[in-house]
Amino acid sequence: MRRRGFSYCIRIMKRKFAGLSILLLLVPALAACGGGYNYAAHLSEVRSDIFCAETEEFAVALNCVMREYPYAADGVASPMQKLVEISVSPAGNTAEEYSVYVLGENGEQLLGGEASFRNFAGDWYFSQSVETFPETSVTLRVAWGENVRELVATSVKSEKTLTPEEALGCAIEAERKLVSRLTADGAFRGEFYVRLLRRDKNYYYVGILDSAGGVLSLLLDGETGEVLARREN
């Protein structure tokens, strides 16, 4: 990765605008990284935050996602909507069905409902469109059978965690040849996925998709932007 380009991208980020729309942040940042070109126009998915909590009975995670609608991996980005995606992973086998809710400051139910079981993930999943995302922490209520638990899930991000726009800037800088190859008549012919990941620490997945169905997948360090793994499909 070219450190000079990455440093330049970092300097132009204005963290005081963190409360603004992700797309508004992306426009000046990525235009500077891309020599004036607005790569933000080609984003079709952004996972900007993850809130996690765990008990002896289950683990729960709430993801803050902006995703195009309708969703299609076709190399063409469409307008995005905000979603919260909540997953509950039971600690053991259970026949009970799960419901999950986001609570307000006074304990009022802001959103939520019955979750659906996902065979491929082995968890219970719920999603809903929203106007705004939570910040720092969120109170969740998890119910199954006759059991109800309320707990606070906290963000996995720290002050050192890159923003999605910084991660995308690093990916573009690292894959300058590919990005140039996908550009024709002054326009980028593809779309980007940027997803915050949490394992032993924070990472970013950045996907670069072309209109022919090809996908370049990058795994980035969540703090330095270093490319740790690269795969082409």
Side-chain angles (χ1 to χ4, degrees), residues 10-84:
I10 295 298
R11 288 199 299 271
I12 65 171
M13 299 300 164
K14 305 296 183 181
R15 291 188 181 272
K16 65 181 180 179
F17 294 130
L20 297 178
S21 164
I22 291 175
L23 288 180
L24 292 178
L25 280 167
L26 283 165
V27 171
L30 295 183
C33 290
Y37 189 85
N38 178 21
Y39 290 102
H42 303 280
L43 273 164
S44 57
E45 182 177 338
V46 178
R47 182 192 295 158
S48 57
D49 207 345
I50 304 171
F51 295 81
C52 295
E54 188 172 358
T55 71
E56 294 182 353
E57 299 157 310
F58 60 83
V60 60
L62 183 149
N63 296 330
C64 299
V65 179
M66 293 184 69
R67 181 178 295 132
E68 68 175 357
Y69 182 83
Y71 189 63
D74 55 6
V76 180
S78 299
M80 295 194 291
Q81 61 177 341
K82 289 184 177 181
L83 302 166
V84 293

Side-chain angles (χ1 to χ4, degrees), residues 56-57 89-98 117 122 124 144:
E56 294 182 353
E57 299 157 310
S89 301
N93 295 327
T94 175
E96 303 288 356
E97 297 183 351
Y98 281 76
F117 184 72
W124 294 83
W144 71 105

Side-chain angles (χ1 to χ4, degrees), residues 91-110:
N93 295 327
T94 175
E96 303 288 356
E97 297 183 351
Y98 281 76
S99 297
V100 62
Y101 305 92
V102 175
L103 306 182
E105 293 182 358
N106 299 317
E108 71 276 20
Q109 182 179 305
L110 299 180

Side-chain angles (χ1 to χ4, degrees), residues 45 47-50 52 63 156-157 161-162 164 167 194-206 217-223 228:
E45 182 177 338
R47 182 192 295 158
S48 57
D49 207 345
I50 304 171
C52 295
N63 296 330
V156 301
K157 296 193 301 184
T161 305
L162 298 178
V194 179
R195 301 171 186 153
L196 178 65
L197 305 175
R198 178 68 183 183
R199 298 294 184 267
D200 56 318
K201 63 175 188 176
N202 291 338
Y203 301 90
Y204 272 100
Y205 165 82
V206 178
S217 298
L218 301 175
L219 181 67
L220 275 61
D221 185 285
E223 295 185 359
L228 304 175

Side-chain angles (χ1 to χ4, degrees), residues 81-217:
Q81 61 177 341
K82 289 184 177 181
L83 302 166
V84 293
E85 298 181 332
I86 307 174
S87 63
V88 181
S89 301
N93 295 327
T94 175
E96 303 288 356
E97 297 183 351
Y98 281 76
S99 297
V100 62
Y101 305 92
V102 175
L103 306 182
E105 293 182 358
N106 299 317
E108 71 276 20
Q109 182 179 305
L110 299 180
L111 61 93
E114 294 182 359
S116 300
F117 184 72
R118 301 190 296 184
N119 284 309
F120 74 90
D123 63 3
W124 294 83
Y125 172 84
F126 175 85
S127 68
Q128 185 171 330
S129 61
V130 295
E131 294 295 326
T132 59
F133 290 137
E135 297 181 11
T136 309
S137 64
V138 60
T139 301
L140 301 174
R141 176 184 293 148
V142 178
W144 71 105
E146 298 181 354
N147 304 292
V148 178
R149 301 286 184 271
E150 292 186 6
L151 65 167
V152 176
T154 56
S155 171
V156 301
K157 296 193 301 184
S158 70
E159 293 182 354
K160 295 182 180 180
T161 305
L162 298 178
T163 61
E165 60 268 26
E166 290 170 343
L168 181 54
C170 292
I172 291 172
E173 195 67 28
E175 295 294 332
R176 184 61 65 180
K177 289 184 179 180
L178 172 63
V179 172
S180 297
R181 194 163 62 246
L182 295 178
T183 302
D185 299 325
F188 179 71
R189 309 295 184 181
E191 60 183 332
F192 299 103
Y193 295 163
V194 179
R195 301 171 186 153
L196 178 65
L197 305 175
R198 178 68 183 183
R199 298 294 184 267
D200 56 318
K201 63 175 188 176
N202 291 338
Y203 301 90
Y204 272 100
Y205 165 82
V206 178
I208 305 175
L209 294 77
D210 62 38
S211 57
V215 182
L216 173 65
S217 298

